[in-house]
Amino acid sequence: PIPCVPWQSQTSGQKAEKGKDACYPDLEWAMNKGRNTNPEWYADVADYVEGVDDKELGELTITDFQMYFYCHPNYPDKRHNCGQAVCGRKCKDRGTAKVDGDKTTFHWDTNGKMLGWAVEGGSKDPPMTYGTCSEWPGGLTPCPWEERDGDHGKITVTSPKFCNVNTVTFMVQGGASPTQDNKADNFLGVLLVDASTNAVVRQYTMSESKHGWGEVKWLGIDGDEGCHQIVLVDGKTEAWAHLEIQDVAICTGETCRLEDDGSGRDCKELEDEGPFEYVGCYVDDSDRHFDSQKEGEYSVLECGVACVGHQYFAVQWGGQCFCSTEFYEGGAYSKVGDDECNRDGVYCHGGGWRNSIYKYTEELDLEDCKNNSADNCGTKIGCKVSNTNKCVSAFDCDALHSDGKFSYEGCFMDNEDRHFKVVFGGGFDVDTCSEQCSGFQYFSVQYGNECFCSNDLTGGWRVHAD
């Protein structure tokens, strides 16, 4: 039990008194105004203070607020905190998160406490949840550890609420999510949500499954007007069906704020790369706002080249490229803040179910490429210098390789049985693959750099779109 030692400024034990204790005006303000104008600020009182579980917010007493500011990790050095518990009362046991000024850090030890994080979901047969059950200090991990990749129901692990958040950092490792839809049953990622509305403010998923810690930084969070929570979501997936997080740090003041210099966030700067303009960041879904998707990973300029012939193009999730001749907004495809078109700190290239949309500002005619010199060719979107040093369309495969050594036959489908049986793997371009396959009648390049050779073109399925 907490000892009841009177303060020097009081004669009534550890209960704050008006006119004697610097914390009293803030307690009084919370009682008389704060809980009426901003009830969401105090929605987590029962999470930290014992004896108030059955009380409504309007029923809290001034000593309840004194205990709240004393127990809550957001107020260790704030004037709201009187520095002592009320006589005979105690905080709920929420573990021992490290508090250093405005910064709260959660580090989980093996077989340690959850430090106030709440787990929901999982399965009972076999049992599956989250905790600190691994034999090494892996942070928050699936439990039991030996079943971590097993099939299970969706699990969420939610942090305590923090107000005035400006920066969040954490370490993470584990599996890549099969979807960017954070509402899906198989989503696997970490979210920052508004504690009042549950709206997702930031989202992180692994770009690839990886065993090895990586750091994530969420900067420039606008937390001045509310509170946030961090949510780890482990959906029902197949192999690598888990994430592990460790050393989650939440900054609620200026002393620990990590500055975002804004570099790379002005998408209009990309307009200098080609004849297109930035439209904005828009929501997408599985029905797709732009339904023509290109295979592979693209920069904004590369997507602009790939979508020549359309009026609009979009980049999503850091590199997915979509084209469209139509653009409309509203309904499911509403415009959102540019910050949401961000993947791991890379802006203007879309985010999770977020399109960075661009519009061509002039009609591009790739036939016009031949009217440019080779020296000027690189400044023209959709144009490329051929192996005979001429400016041609980047999509005219015959013109790109017009030295007479070979001719372009077309784009053909392949499968695991392989159309061309002689395989040389990666690291090739068209010219080096041609040399590698000398002695064969045909050669092909697949997936950007894989080289194949054959003396027989039959048996393949030609597709119309090069």
Side-chain angles (χ1 to χ4, degrees), residues 333-453:
Y333 307 117
S334 58
K335 188 174 185 178
V336 294
D338 288 344
D339 275 358
E340 295 192 27
C341 279
N342 154 43
R343 180 183 178 185
D344 300 347
V346 176
Y347 294 84
C348 308
H349 290 65
W353 294 108
R354 297 293 185 269
N355 278 328
S356 291
I357 295 180
Y358 299 84
K359 178 184 179 181
Y360 294 103
T361 53
E362 61 184 72
E363 186 173 344
L364 298 175
D365 182 4
L366 296 182
E367 287 297 315
D368 188 52
C369 291
K370 61 186 178 183
N371 296 324
N372 293 276
S373 67
D375 291 339
N376 194 42
C377 194
T379 66
K380 303 297 181 181
I381 189 170
C383 301
K384 192 173 182 180
V385 178
S386 73
N387 63 359
T388 56
N389 205 36
K390 294 180 179 179
C391 189
V392 298
S393 166
F395 302 95
D396 189 341
C397 298
D398 265 332
L400 284 170
H401 304 279
S402 57
D403 55 7
K405 294 181 179 179
F406 48 81
S407 62
Y408 178 64
E409 294 291 334
C411 181
F412 291 76
M413 291 287 273
D414 199 7
N415 57 36
E416 63 271 12
D417 293 329
R418 294 304 184 191
H419 185 189
F420 287 7
K421 305 300 183 182
V422 180
V423 182
F424 285 105
F428 294 85
D429 60 19
V430 173
D431 290 308
T432 55
C433 184
S434 169
E435 295 172 1
Q436 184 69 40
C437 291
S438 61
F440 290 88
Q441 190 173 359
Y442 300 95
F443 71 94
S444 67
V445 179
Q446 183 179 133
Y447 202 60
N449 61 16
E450 296 175 353
C451 182
F452 301 80
C453 314

Side-chain angles (χ1 to χ4, degrees), residues 84-109:
Q84 293 273 14
V86 178
C87 260
R89 301 191 63 176
K90 61 181 181 179
C91 306
K92 283 190 174 178
D93 181 9
R94 301 189 65 82
T96 53
K98 179 182 177 182
V99 179
D100 182 11
D102 298 325
K103 183 179 181 180
T104 301
T105 302
F106 295 92
H107 178 88
W108 292 275
D109 294 319

Side-chain angles (χ1 to χ4, degrees), residues 19-307:
K20 292 185 178 181
D21 299 298
C23 59
Y24 193 90
D26 292 292
L27 304 182
E28 193 173 44
W29 186 91
M31 275 279 297
N32 298 331
K33 186 175 181 179
R35 65 177 167 187
N36 297 317
T37 58
N38 297 94
E40 71 277 6
W41 292 356
Y42 314 104
D44 57 350
V45 171
D47 292 339
Y48 294 93
V49 182
E50 286 204 348
V52 300
D53 289 355
D54 297 328
K55 286 187 176 183
E56 298 291 336
L57 184 57
E59 298 174 326
L60 297 179
T61 66
I62 199 162
T63 55
D64 292 331
F65 279 101
Q66 181 178 336
M67 288 298 299
Y68 175 66
F69 293 125
Y70 172 73
C71 299
H72 199 293
N74 277 12
Y75 302 95
D77 299 321
K78 302 288 180 67
R79 65 185 185 186
H80 309 64
N81 188 342
C82 298
Q84 293 273 14
V86 178
C87 260
R89 301 191 63 176
K90 61 181 181 179
C91 306
K92 283 190 174 178
D93 181 9
R94 301 189 65 82
T96 53
K98 179 182 177 182
V99 179
D100 182 11
D102 298 325
K103 183 179 181 180
T104 301
T105 302
F106 295 92
H107 178 88
W108 292 275
D109 294 319
T110 303
N111 297 320
K113 296 181 179 179
M114 287 295 289
L115 306 183
W117 290 56
V119 184
E120 293 184 5
S123 59
K124 295 182 179 179
D125 187 20
M128 178 62 70
T129 184
Y130 259 73
T132 57
C133 57
S134 65
E135 296 180 356
W136 56 286
L140 287 186
T141 62
C143 299
W145 176 247
E146 59 272 13
E147 302 292 336
R148 60 191 178 278
D149 291 329
D151 206 15
H152 61 81
K154 189 174 184 177
I155 303 173
T156 61
V157 193
T158 306
S159 77
K161 297 175 186 177
F162 289 88
C163 302
N164 305 313
V165 175
N166 60 63
T167 304
V168 174
T169 64
F170 57 93
M171 304 300 291
V172 63
Q173 64 179 352
S177 179
T179 177
Q180 295 305 310
D181 181 1
N182 54 58
K183 299 292 193 296
D185 286 340
N186 60 345
F187 177 76
L188 189 66
V190 185
L191 309 174
L192 181 70
V193 302
D194 185 296
S196 299
T197 65
N198 283 326
V200 176
V201 177
R202 298 291 172 91
Q203 175 172 312
Y204 175 81
T205 58
M206 298 284 291
S207 57
E208 60 180 350
S209 297
K210 180 180 178 182
H211 187 270
W213 293 108
E215 185 179 25
V216 177
K217 295 180 180 180
W218 287 333
L219 312 181
I221 301 166
D222 184 12
D224 292 342
E225 300 300 325
C227 304
H228 294 85
Q229 290 174 287
I230 301 162
V231 184
L232 186 159
V233 184
D234 183 345
K236 180 181 179 181
T237 61
E238 297 178 359
W240 281 86
H242 68 280
L243 282 180
E244 303 158 41
I245 60 172
Q246 180 65 287
D247 293 331
V248 179
I250 300 101
C251 177
T252 57
E254 294 303 314
T255 59
C256 55
R257 179 193 293 267
L258 296 180
E259 293 297 335
D260 184 353
D261 62 10
S263 60
R265 297 179 65 174
D266 185 0
C267 302
K268 290 189 175 296
E269 291 180 354
L270 295 172
E271 295 174 359
D272 295 336
E273 296 188 2
F276 49 80
E277 62 184 10
Y278 178 63
V279 179
C281 180
Y282 287 81
V283 174
D284 199 12
D285 60 18
S286 57
D287 292 328
R288 295 300 185 192
H289 192 182
F290 290 4
D291 57 7
S292 177
Q293 182 176 3
K294 301 294 184 180
E295 292 294 327
E297 293 285 317
Y298 294 78
S299 67
V300 171
L301 177 60
E302 289 169 340
C303 185
V305 171
C307 290

